[in-house]
Amino acid sequence: MNQHTIDRLREIVGQDQVSTLPEELACYSYDGTGQEYLPAAVAFPGSTEEVCRIMQLASATPFPVVPRGAGTGMTGGALPVAGGLVLVMSRLNRILEIDPANQIGVVEPGVITGDLRKEAARHNLYYPPDPASLQFCTMGGNVAECAGGPSAVKYGVTRDYILALEAVLPDGRLIHTGVRTAKGVVGYDLTRLLVGSEGTLAIITKITVKLLPAPEARSTLLVLCGTMVEAASLVARILAHHTPCTLEYMDRTALAIVRDKLPFPFPEEAGALLLIELDGQQDAVPHATRQLTDFLQSQPGIVQSRTATSPAEAEQLWAARRAISPAAFSLKPHKMSEDVVVPRSRLPELVSCTEKLSRELGVVIFTFGHAGDGNIHVNIMLDKNAPQEVRQANTAKQLLFEEVLRLGGTLSGEHGIGLTKAPYLDMELDPPTLALMQQIKKLFDPRNILNPGKIFPSQVAPEKNI
Amino acid sequence: MNQHTIDRLREIVGQDQVSTLPEELACYSYDGTGQEYLPAAVAFPGSTEEVCRIMQLASATPFPVVPRGAGTGMTGGALPVAGGLVLVMSRLNRILEIDPANQIGVVEPGVITGDLRKEAARHNLYYPPDPASLQFCTMGGNVAECAGGPSAVKYGVTRDYILALEAVLPDGRLIHTGVRTAKGVVGYDLTRLLVGSEGTLAIITKITVKLLPAPEARSTLLVLCGTMVEAASLVARILAHHTPCTLEYMDRTALAIVRDKLPFPFPEEAGALLLIELDGQQDAVPHATRQLTDFLQSQPGIVQSRTATSPAEAEQLWAARRAISPAAFSLKPHKMSEDVVVPRSRLPELVSCTEKLSRELGVVIFTFGHAGDGNIHVNIMLDKNAPQEVRQANTAKQLLFEEVLRLGGTLSGEHGIGLTKAPYLDMELDPPTLALMQQIKKLFDPRNILNPGKIFPSQVAPEKNI
C-alpha cells in the first residue's frame, strides 16, 4: 500500500480513522493464537457506505483487507498474514433495534456479544450463543466464525440465531441476505453461507438475530467422576433423557490448574468433572433438577454430585471454568488448542486417545469443553523454543485429528479453520468438496483480497506484508 | 434427447428403469401446482453411482435433468419446464441408520418424511418437520425446498435438522457436506446452501438428520375468535409468554370449507380459529396447558376456548386442518396458494389486507396456516378459464406481495420460488444479491442443465421440450 492509497483511505473514512503508526499497527497484528503479522495500515470505518468504498478501492488497487472484531479468535482469522489493511469494526457498535413483539434484534458487527445479551435481557429476551470470550468478542466475529459456547448443547450455535445479514462483497457491492421473519426460503441461503465463512467472502455490516424468551430459572449441578472415561460415557446417557442447557467437562489437569478457584476442596479422588446446568420456566427447573439428581444416583462411576446452593457458588464454578484457558500457561509457555468434535457416544474413545497420546509421546495434554456436543477442547502444551517439544506436539495433533475423523468427528466445532488448521483441511474434506469451496471463494473474491491465506492455504498471496 | 442418449441411460440404470412411454411420462409431468410439462424421459436411479453417471452424461450431451421426489411441491420445483429427463428418486428410499446414542439418522432422498418420523419414534426420537404432505412427500424434496410445517413455531424447519448431505453436482462430481456431530465449522456451509436450493445446484443422494428426544405428552387447545384481526393479534401475545409446538390459524372461510369435518358444531359467531398444541415432558404439559388456559381467559376477542378431551378429538381437528387445502376446490376450480410471511406482530395488518383485497377486487380469498411463524397461506381462488378472474387474481397477488414486503415480510416461508414465484423474485431481492445468487447457480451448473427455469426466470432453456 503506497502513500496515495493511504491518502485515498483517509478521504473515505476521515483523517483520524486511518493509521500507519507502528505502535498502532502492533495492536492489530495479533489474535487469540498469539501469532503476529503486521498490517500496512489500519482503518476504522464509521458506516456501511465507507466499507463499500474501501472495498472498491481495495479491489481496484488491489490490496488485502482483513476485517477484525475483537481479535479473540483461536485460529488466526483476524491475522493480516498477507499484510494490507486491517479493517477494525469497533466504531460500528450500535444495537440498532430490539423488537420484543417479534423477538428479533438488529446489531452492527462491532457490538460486544455480552452487550447484546444484556440488552436482550432488559426486554426479557435471550440471545443464547455464549463463547467464553463473550465479554470481549464481537457479533461480527461470532458470525464470521459461527461461534459456539456452553449453551450450544441445548440452544445451538451462532448460525441458529442469524436471520439476516447486510454485507459488503470484495468488490464493494452491498448485499442483503435472509429475512426478518421466522421462516424464509426466497433464493439461496446466502445468510448461512456467510456465517462461518471466516471473513473470506464478504464483510458483515449488519446482523439480524433471533431472540428467545429469557429462561426464568437456572440450576447448576456438579458431578465428579472417578475417571475421564467414566465422565465421558455418562454424557450420552444424560442426554438420552434430559435436556441440560450446558454440559461441560474438565479433566483432572484442568481442575488442578484452577484448583484455588474451585468453591470446594480439590477432589483428590476425582479424574474429571461435569458441570451441568438446567434452565427453563420457574416451576419446571426444580422438578427437572430433581429428576436429573435421581438419575445420577443410579449411575456408576460418580464420586460425588452436588447442586450449587446459591447463584454465587454457581458463578464461582463458571469463573473457574472460564479461567482454565488463560491459566493453562502455568503448565508450559505455549498451547495448541484444538476444538475437535466427535459424536458424543464416541467421547470415551476420544478421551482414551488423548490419555494415550500424552503418555506415549510424553506431551502435556489436558481437555475440557462442551462434552454435551462432543466438542472437546484438547490443549497440547509446549515450549515453542524446544524443537523436540514442537515435534512431539505436532505428532500428537496429527494423530489426534486422525482419531477424531476415524470416530466420525470433525476437526473444528466452533473455532474455524483460519490459519492454524488450514494445513489439515484436506484430511476432512474430499477433493471435489474442497474444490467447490475454493471455487466459491474465487467467485466472491476473484482478486483474493479479502482475508487471503485463510481456510485454503494455497490462497496465501505470494508476497507477504505488501 | 435422442435414441442414443436413451440407450446410454439404459446402460447406466438398467433397461427397465428408463421410460419414454407417454402414459408413464404423464405421471411425472405435474406437481402440486397442477401445471403440466412433459419430459422426454424418466429414469429411476438405484444408487448414488448411477446418479453420478447420469449427470456426467447429461452435462456432456447436454440435456436438462429435473430431480423429483413425490411431486407434492407447491411452486413447480419438480416440473420439467425445459423437457429433458425427470430423475425419480423413489428407489433410493432406505432409512440407512437411526443412531439413538447420538440422536441422528441417515436416509436416502426417496424416504417418505412420515416414514422417517415413524422409525424415529420407534427409538423414542423425534424428527420435527411436518409439512402437510408428510405422508407422501420425500426427504429429498423436503431438503430441496426447506419444507416447514406446523411444528416450525417451536422446532424450526427442515434446515434446522440437516447435519450433512451427500450430493451430486451437475457435472457428476460427488460431494460430501457437513458433519455427523452437533457442531462443525470446517469450510463453507455447503449443507445449508443446498437446503432450499430447489434442486438447482446439486442432486441430493444422502441426508444426515438431527433427531430430538420424543416429546412424552401433548395437549391440544382450540380458540375461536370473533374476528380474524382479533385472532391474529392474539398470536404475538401468546408467544411472548408461552412456547406452543403449533399455533395454527384458519379464517372463517377455511372453517366453512371443512365444516362437516369439525368435531364441534360450526361456530356461527366465530371469525377465526386458532389451533394450539403444547408438547413436552409428561408432567410439564398439563401445567403449561393450565397456564395457557388461564392466560387465554384474560384476553379480549375470544368467543370460545376449549381443550381437546381426547387424542381422537385432537386428531379430528388436525384432519380438518389438513383437509382445507384439497377441499378448497369446492369454492372455485383453481387456486393460487401463497405462503407469505410477516413478522408476527404485523399479522393483523396482513389479515386486514387480504380482507380488503377480497372485498375490493371481488376475489374469493381465504387464509389459514402457521400463524405462530407469521406464515399465512393466502389462497386466491379462481376459474382459470375466466379471463376477468385471472386478471383480478393476479392483481390481488401483486398487491398482496407489495403489502407483505412493506410489512417487513418475505414472499415464501416454505414453498420456495420454483416456477410460480420466479417472476416476483426481484420484488424482494435487490439486484446485487440476486446477481450473486445467479452467479452461484452458474458456478455449480455452467451448462444450466439442472432443473433449469426455476428460481431465476431468465435461465429457462430457450428450446422447450427438448
Side-chain angles (χ1 to χ4, degrees), chain B residues 406-465:
Chain B
R406 194 187 70 75
L407 295 172
T410 181
L411 301 186
S412 179
E414 51 187 26
H415 292 172
I417 299 302
L419 194 64
T420 59
K421 290 198 179 184
Y424 303 92
L425 191 63
D426 63 0
M427 287 178 70
E428 179 162 341
L429 299 179
D430 57 37
T433 309
L434 182 51
L436 183 61
M437 290 182 186
Q438 287 177 299
Q439 287 177 291
I440 290 173
K441 166 66 176 171
K442 198 164 182 184
L443 171 68
F444 275 74
D445 186 15
R447 303 200 74 168
N448 195 26
I449 57 167
L450 191 57
N451 211 359
K454 305 302 166 60
I455 304 180
F456 313 109
S458 60
Q459 288 195 334
V460 183
E463 39 226 303
K464 287 221 173 175
N465 291 302

Coordinates of all heavy atoms in Angstrom, one line a residue, chain B residues 406-465:
Chain B
R406 N -43.8 -4.6 2.4 CA -43.9 -3.3 3.2 C -44.0 -3.6 4.7 O -43.4 -2.8 5.5 CB -45.2 -2.6 2.8 CG -45.3 -1.1 3.3 CD -46.7 -0.5 3.0 NE -47.7 -1.0 3.8 CZ -47.9 -0.7 5.1 NH1 -47.2 0.1 5.7 NH2 -48.9 -1.3 5.8
L407 N -44.5 -4.7 5.1 CA -44.6 -5.1 6.5 C -43.3 -5.8 7.0 O -43.3 -6.3 8.1 CB -45.8 -6.1 6.7 CG -47.2 -5.5 6.4 CD1 -48.3 -6.6 6.5 CD2 -47.5 -4.4 7.5
G408 N -42.3 -5.9 6.1 CA -41.1 -6.5 6.6 C -41.0 -8.0 6.4 O -40.3 -8.7 7.0
G409 N -41.9 -8.5 5.5 CA -42.0 -9.9 5.4 C -41.3 -10.5 4.2 O -40.4 -9.8 3.6
T410 N -41.6 -11.7 3.9 CA -41.0 -12.4 2.7 C -42.0 -13.1 1.9 O -43.1 -13.5 2.4 CB -39.9 -13.4 3.2 OG1 -39.2 -14.0 2.1 CG2 -40.4 -14.5 4.1
L411 N -41.7 -13.3 0.6 CA -42.8 -13.9 -0.3 C -43.0 -15.4 -0.1 O -44.0 -15.9 -0.5 CB -42.4 -13.6 -1.7 CG -42.2 -12.1 -2.1 CD1 -42.0 -12.0 -3.6 CD2 -43.4 -11.3 -1.7
S412 N -42.0 -16.1 0.5 CA -42.2 -17.5 0.7 C -41.6 -18.0 2.0 O -40.4 -17.8 2.2 CB -41.7 -18.3 -0.5 OG -41.9 -19.7 -0.2
G413 N -42.4 -18.7 2.8 CA -41.9 -19.2 4.1 C -41.4 -20.6 4.0 O -40.5 -21.0 4.7
E414 N -42.0 -21.4 3.0 CA -41.7 -22.8 3.0 C -41.9 -23.5 1.6 O -41.5 -24.6 1.4 CB -42.4 -23.6 4.1 CG -43.9 -23.3 4.1 CD -44.7 -23.9 5.3 OE1 -44.0 -24.1 6.3 OE2 -45.9 -24.2 5.1
H415 N -42.6 -22.8 0.7 CA -42.9 -23.4 -0.6 C -41.8 -23.2 -1.6 O -41.7 -23.9 -2.6 CB -44.2 -22.9 -1.1 CG -45.4 -23.4 -0.3 ND1 -46.7 -22.9 -0.6 CD2 -45.5 -24.2 0.7 CE1 -47.5 -23.4 0.3 NE2 -46.8 -24.3 1.1
G416 N -41.0 -22.2 -1.4 CA -39.9 -21.9 -2.4 C -40.4 -21.0 -3.5 O -41.6 -20.6 -3.6
I417 N -39.5 -20.8 -4.5 CA -39.8 -19.9 -5.6 C -40.2 -20.7 -6.8 O -41.3 -20.4 -7.4 CB -38.5 -19.0 -5.9 CG1 -38.1 -18.2 -4.7 CG2 -38.8 -18.2 -7.1 CD1 -39.2 -17.2 -4.2
G418 N -39.5 -21.7 -7.1 CA -39.8 -22.6 -8.3 C -40.1 -21.8 -9.5 O -39.4 -20.9 -9.9
L419 N -41.3 -22.2 -10.1 CA -41.7 -21.6 -11.3 C -42.7 -20.4 -11.0 O -42.6 -19.3 -11.6 CB -42.5 -22.7 -12.1 CG -42.8 -22.4 -13.5 CD1 -41.5 -22.3 -14.3 CD2 -43.6 -23.6 -14.0
T420 N -43.6 -20.7 -10.1 CA -44.7 -19.8 -9.9 C -44.3 -18.4 -9.3 O -45.0 -17.4 -9.5 CB -45.8 -20.4 -9.1 OG1 -45.3 -20.8 -7.8 CG2 -46.3 -21.7 -9.8
K421 N -43.3 -18.4 -8.5 CA -42.9 -17.1 -7.8 C -41.7 -16.5 -8.5 O -41.3 -15.4 -8.1 CB -42.6 -17.4 -6.3 CG -43.9 -17.7 -5.5 CD -43.7 -17.5 -4.1 CE -45.0 -17.8 -3.3 NZ -45.0 -17.6 -1.9
A422 N -41.1 -17.1 -9.5 CA -39.9 -16.6 -10.1 C -40.1 -15.2 -10.6 O -39.3 -14.3 -10.5 CB -39.4 -17.5 -11.2
P423 N -41.3 -14.9 -11.2 CA -41.4 -13.5 -11.8 C -41.5 -12.4 -10.7 O -41.3 -11.2 -11.0 CB -42.8 -13.6 -12.5 CG -43.1 -15.0 -12.7 CD -42.4 -15.7 -11.6
Y424 N -41.6 -12.8 -9.5 CA -41.7 -11.8 -8.4 C -40.4 -11.7 -7.5 O -40.4 -11.0 -6.6 CB -42.9 -12.2 -7.5 CG -44.2 -12.3 -8.2 CD1 -44.6 -13.5 -8.7 CD2 -45.0 -11.2 -8.4 CE1 -45.8 -13.6 -9.4 CE2 -46.2 -11.3 -9.1 CZ -46.6 -12.5 -9.6 OH -47.8 -12.6 -10.3
L425 N -39.4 -12.5 -7.9 CA -38.2 -12.6 -7.1 C -37.6 -11.3 -6.9 O -37.1 -11.0 -5.8 CB -37.3 -13.6 -7.8 CG -36.1 -14.0 -6.9 CD1 -36.5 -14.8 -5.7 CD2 -35.1 -14.9 -7.8
D426 N -37.5 -10.5 -7.9 CA -36.8 -9.2 -7.8 C -37.6 -8.1 -7.0 O -37.1 -7.1 -6.8 CB -36.4 -8.7 -9.2 CG -37.5 -8.4 -10.1 OD1 -38.7 -8.6 -9.7 OD2 -37.3 -8.0 -11.2
M427 N -38.9 -8.5 -6.7 CA -39.6 -7.6 -5.7 C -38.9 -7.6 -4.3 O -38.9 -6.7 -3.6 CB -41.0 -8.0 -5.5 CG -41.9 -7.7 -6.7 SD -43.6 -8.3 -6.4 CE -44.2 -7.2 -5.1
E428 N -38.4 -8.8 -4.0 CA -37.8 -9.0 -2.7 C -36.3 -8.8 -2.6 O -35.7 -8.3 -1.7 CB -38.2 -10.4 -2.1 CG -37.6 -10.6 -0.7 CD -38.3 -11.7 0.0 OE1 -39.4 -12.1 -0.3 OE2 -37.7 -12.3 1.0
L429 N -35.6 -9.3 -3.6 CA -34.1 -9.3 -3.6 C -33.6 -8.1 -4.4 O -34.1 -7.9 -5.5 CB -33.6 -10.6 -4.2 CG -34.0 -11.9 -3.5 CD1 -33.4 -13.1 -4.3 CD2 -33.6 -11.9 -2.1
D430 N -32.6 -7.4 -3.8 CA -32.0 -6.3 -4.6 C -31.1 -6.8 -5.7 O -30.7 -8.0 -5.6 CB -31.4 -5.3 -3.6 CG -30.3 -6.0 -2.8 OD1 -29.6 -6.8 -3.3 OD2 -30.2 -5.6 -1.6
P431 N -30.8 -6.0 -6.7 CA -30.0 -6.5 -7.8 C -28.7 -7.2 -7.5 O -28.4 -8.3 -8.0 CB -29.8 -5.3 -8.7 CG -31.0 -4.4 -8.4 CD -31.3 -4.6 -6.9
P432 N -27.8 -6.6 -6.6 CA -26.6 -7.3 -6.3 C -26.7 -8.7 -5.7 O -26.0 -9.6 -6.0 CB -25.8 -6.4 -5.4 CG -26.5 -5.1 -5.4 CD -27.9 -5.3 -5.8
T433 N -27.7 -8.8 -4.8 CA -28.0 -10.1 -4.1 C -28.5 -11.1 -5.1 O -28.0 -12.2 -5.1 CB -29.0 -9.8 -2.9 OG1 -28.5 -8.8 -2.1 CG2 -29.1 -11.1 -2.1
L434 N -29.4 -10.7 -5.9 CA -30.0 -11.6 -7.0 C -28.9 -12.0 -7.9 O -28.7 -13.2 -8.3 CB -31.1 -10.9 -7.7 CG -31.9 -11.6 -8.8 CD1 -32.3 -13.0 -8.3 CD2 -33.1 -10.8 -9.2
A435 N -28.0 -11.0 -8.3 CA -26.9 -11.3 -9.3 C -26.0 -12.3 -8.7 O -25.5 -13.3 -9.3 CB -26.2 -10.0 -9.6
L436 N -25.7 -12.2 -7.4 CA -24.8 -13.1 -6.7 C -25.4 -14.5 -6.7 O -24.7 -15.5 -7.0 CB -24.5 -12.7 -5.3 CG -23.5 -13.5 -4.5 CD1 -22.2 -13.5 -5.1 CD2 -23.5 -12.9 -3.0
M437 N -26.7 -14.7 -6.5 CA -27.3 -16.0 -6.5 C -27.2 -16.6 -7.9 O -27.0 -17.8 -8.1 CB -28.8 -15.9 -6.1 CG -29.0 -15.6 -4.6 SD -30.7 -15.5 -4.2 CE -30.6 -14.9 -2.5
Q438 N -27.4 -15.7 -8.9 CA -27.3 -16.3 -10.3 C -25.9 -16.7 -10.6 O -25.7 -17.7 -11.3 CB -27.8 -15.2 -11.3 CG -29.3 -15.1 -11.2 CD -29.9 -14.0 -12.1 OE1 -29.5 -12.8 -11.9 NE2 -30.7 -14.3 -13.0
Q439 N -24.9 -16.0 -10.1 CA -23.5 -16.4 -10.3 C -23.2 -17.7 -9.6 O -22.5 -18.5 -10.1 CB -22.6 -15.3 -9.7 CG -22.5 -14.0 -10.5 CD -21.6 -13.0 -9.8 OE1 -21.9 -12.5 -8.7 NE2 -20.4 -12.7 -10.4
I440 N -23.8 -17.9 -8.4 CA -23.7 -19.2 -7.7 C -24.3 -20.3 -8.6 O -23.7 -21.4 -8.7 CB -24.3 -19.1 -6.3 CG1 -23.4 -18.2 -5.4 CG2 -24.4 -20.5 -5.7 CD1 -23.9 -17.9 -4.1
K441 N -25.5 -20.1 -9.1 CA -26.1 -21.1 -10.0 C -25.2 -21.4 -11.1 O -25.0 -22.6 -11.5 CB -27.4 -20.5 -10.5 CG -28.0 -21.3 -11.6 CD -28.5 -22.7 -11.3 CE -29.2 -23.4 -12.5 NZ -29.4 -24.8 -12.2
K442 N -24.6 -20.4 -11.7 CA -23.7 -20.6 -12.9 C -22.4 -21.3 -12.5 O -21.9 -22.2 -13.3 CB -23.4 -19.2 -13.5 CG -22.9 -19.4 -14.9 CD -22.9 -18.0 -15.7 CE -22.4 -18.3 -17.1 NZ -22.3 -17.0 -17.8
L443 N -21.9 -21.1 -11.3 CA -20.7 -21.8 -10.8 C -21.0 -23.3 -10.7 O -20.2 -24.1 -11.1 CB -20.3 -21.2 -9.5 CG -19.2 -21.9 -8.8 CD1 -17.9 -21.8 -9.5 CD2 -19.0 -21.4 -7.4
F444 N -22.1 -23.6 -10.1 CA -22.5 -25.0 -9.9 C -22.9 -25.7 -11.2 O -22.6 -26.9 -11.4 CB -23.7 -25.1 -8.9 CG -23.3 -25.1 -7.4 CD1 -22.9 -24.0 -6.8 CD2 -23.3 -26.3 -6.7 CE1 -22.6 -23.9 -5.5 CE2 -23.0 -26.3 -5.3 CZ -22.6 -25.1 -4.7
D445 N -23.5 -24.9 -12.0 CA -24.2 -25.5 -13.2 C -24.0 -24.7 -14.4 O -24.9 -24.1 -15.0 CB -25.7 -25.6 -12.9 CG -26.5 -26.4 -13.9 OD1 -25.9 -27.1 -14.8 OD2 -27.7 -26.3 -13.9
P446 N -22.7 -24.6 -14.9 CA -22.4 -23.7 -16.0 C -23.2 -24.0 -17.3 O -23.5 -23.1 -18.1 CB -20.9 -23.9 -16.3 CG -20.6 -25.2 -15.6 CD -21.5 -25.4 -14.5
R447 N -23.7 -25.2 -17.5 CA -24.4 -25.5 -18.7 C -26.0 -25.4 -18.5 O -26.8 -25.7 -19.4 CB -24.1 -26.9 -19.2 CG -22.6 -27.1 -19.5 CD -22.3 -28.2 -20.4 NE -22.7 -27.9 -21.8 CZ -22.3 -28.7 -22.9 NH1 -21.6 -29.7 -22.7 NH2 -22.6 -28.3 -24.1
N448 N -26.3 -25.0 -17.3 CA -27.8 -24.8 -16.9 C -28.6 -26.1 -17.3 O -29.6 -26.0 -17.9 CB -28.3 -23.6 -17.6 CG -29.7 -23.2 -17.0 OD1 -29.9 -23.5 -15.8 ND2 -30.5 -22.5 -17.8
I449 N -28.1 -27.2 -16.8 CA -28.9 -28.5 -17.1 C -29.7 -28.9 -15.9 O -30.6 -29.8 -16.1 CB -27.9 -29.6 -17.5 CG1 -26.9 -29.9 -16.4 CG2 -27.3 -29.3 -18.9 CD1 -26.1 -31.2 -16.7
L450 N -29.4 -28.4 -14.7 CA -30.1 -29.0 -13.5 C -31.3 -28.1 -13.1 O -31.1 -27.0 -12.7 CB -29.1 -29.1 -12.3 CG -29.6 -29.9 -11.1 CD1 -30.0 -31.3 -11.6 CD2 -28.5 -30.0 -10.1
N451 N -32.5 -28.7 -13.3 CA -33.7 -28.0 -13.0 C -33.8 -26.6 -13.6 O -34.0 -25.6 -12.9 CB -34.0 -28.0 -11.5 CG -35.5 -28.0 -11.2 OD1 -36.3 -28.0 -12.1 ND2 -35.8 -28.0 -9.9
P452 N -33.5 -26.4 -14.9 CA -33.5 -25.1 -15.5 C -34.9 -24.5 -15.4 O -35.9 -25.2 -15.4 CB -33.0 -25.3 -16.9 CG -33.4 -26.8 -17.2 CD -33.3 -27.5 -15.9
G453 N -34.9 -23.1 -15.4 CA -36.2 -22.4 -15.4 C -36.7 -22.2 -14.0 O -37.8 -21.6 -13.9
K454 N -36.0 -22.6 -13.0 CA -36.6 -22.5 -11.6 C -35.8 -21.3 -10.9 O -34.7 -21.1 -11.2 CB -36.4 -23.7 -10.8 CG -37.0 -25.0 -11.5 CD -38.5 -24.8 -11.7 CE -39.0 -25.9 -12.7 NZ -38.8 -27.2 -12.2
I455 N -36.5 -20.7 -10.0 CA -36.0 -19.6 -9.2 C -35.7 -18.3 -10.1 O -36.3 -17.3 -9.9 CB -34.7 -19.9 -8.4 CG1 -35.0 -21.2 -7.5 CG2 -34.3 -18.7 -7.5 CD1 -33.8 -21.6 -6.6
F456 N -34.8 -18.5 -11.1 CA -34.4 -17.4 -11.9 C -35.1 -17.5 -13.3 O -34.7 -18.4 -14.1 CB -32.9 -17.4 -12.1 CG -32.2 -17.5 -10.8 CD1 -31.5 -18.7 -10.5 CD2 -32.2 -16.5 -9.9 CE1 -30.8 -18.9 -9.4 CE2 -31.5 -16.7 -8.7 CZ -30.8 -17.9 -8.4
P457 N -36.1 -16.7 -13.6 CA -36.8 -16.9 -14.8 C -36.0 -16.9 -16.1 O -36.2 -17.6 -17.0 CB -37.9 -15.9 -14.8 CG -37.5 -14.9 -13.8 CD -36.5 -15.6 -12.8
S458 N -35.0 -16.0 -16.1 CA -34.2 -15.8 -17.3 C -33.4 -17.0 -17.7 O -32.8 -17.1 -18.8 CB -33.2 -14.6 -17.1 OG -32.4 -14.9 -16.0
Q459 N -33.3 -18.0 -16.7 CA -32.5 -19.2 -17.0 C -33.2 -20.3 -17.7 O -32.7 -21.4 -17.8 CB -31.8 -19.7 -15.7 CG -30.7 -18.8 -15.3 CD -29.9 -19.5 -14.2 OE1 -30.3 -20.4 -13.6 NE2 -28.6 -19.0 -14.1
V460 N -34.5 -20.1 -18.1 CA -35.2 -21.1 -18.8 C -34.4 -21.4 -20.1 O -34.0 -20.5 -20.8 CB -36.6 -20.7 -19.2 CG1 -37.4 -21.8 -19.9 CG2 -37.4 -20.3 -18.0
A461 N -34.2 -22.7 -20.4 CA -33.5 -23.0 -21.7 C -34.4 -22.5 -22.8 O -35.6 -22.6 -22.8 CB -33.3 -24.5 -21.7
P462 N -33.8 -22.0 -23.9 CA -34.6 -21.4 -24.9 C -35.5 -22.4 -25.6 O -36.7 -22.1 -25.9 CB -33.5 -20.9 -25.9 CG -32.2 -21.5 -25.5 CD -32.3 -21.8 -24.1
E463 N -35.0 -23.6 -25.9 CA -35.9 -24.6 -26.5 C -36.6 -25.4 -25.4 O -36.0 -25.9 -24.5 CB -35.1 -25.6 -27.4 CG -33.9 -25.9 -26.8 CD -32.5 -26.1 -26.8 OE1 -32.1 -26.9 -27.7 OE2 -31.9 -25.4 -26.0
K464 N -38.0 -25.4 -25.6 CA -38.8 -26.2 -24.6 C -38.9 -27.6 -25.1 O -38.9 -27.9 -26.3 CB -40.2 -25.5 -24.5 CG -40.1 -24.2 -23.7 CD -41.3 -24.1 -22.8 CE -41.1 -22.9 -21.9 NZ -42.2 -22.6 -21.0
N465 N -39.2 -28.5 -24.2 CA -39.4 -29.9 -24.5 C -38.4 -30.5 -25.4 O -38.7 -31.0 -26.5 CB -40.8 -30.1 -25.1 CG -41.9 -29.8 -24.0 OD1 -41.9 -30.5 -23.0 ND2 -42.7 -28.8 -24.3

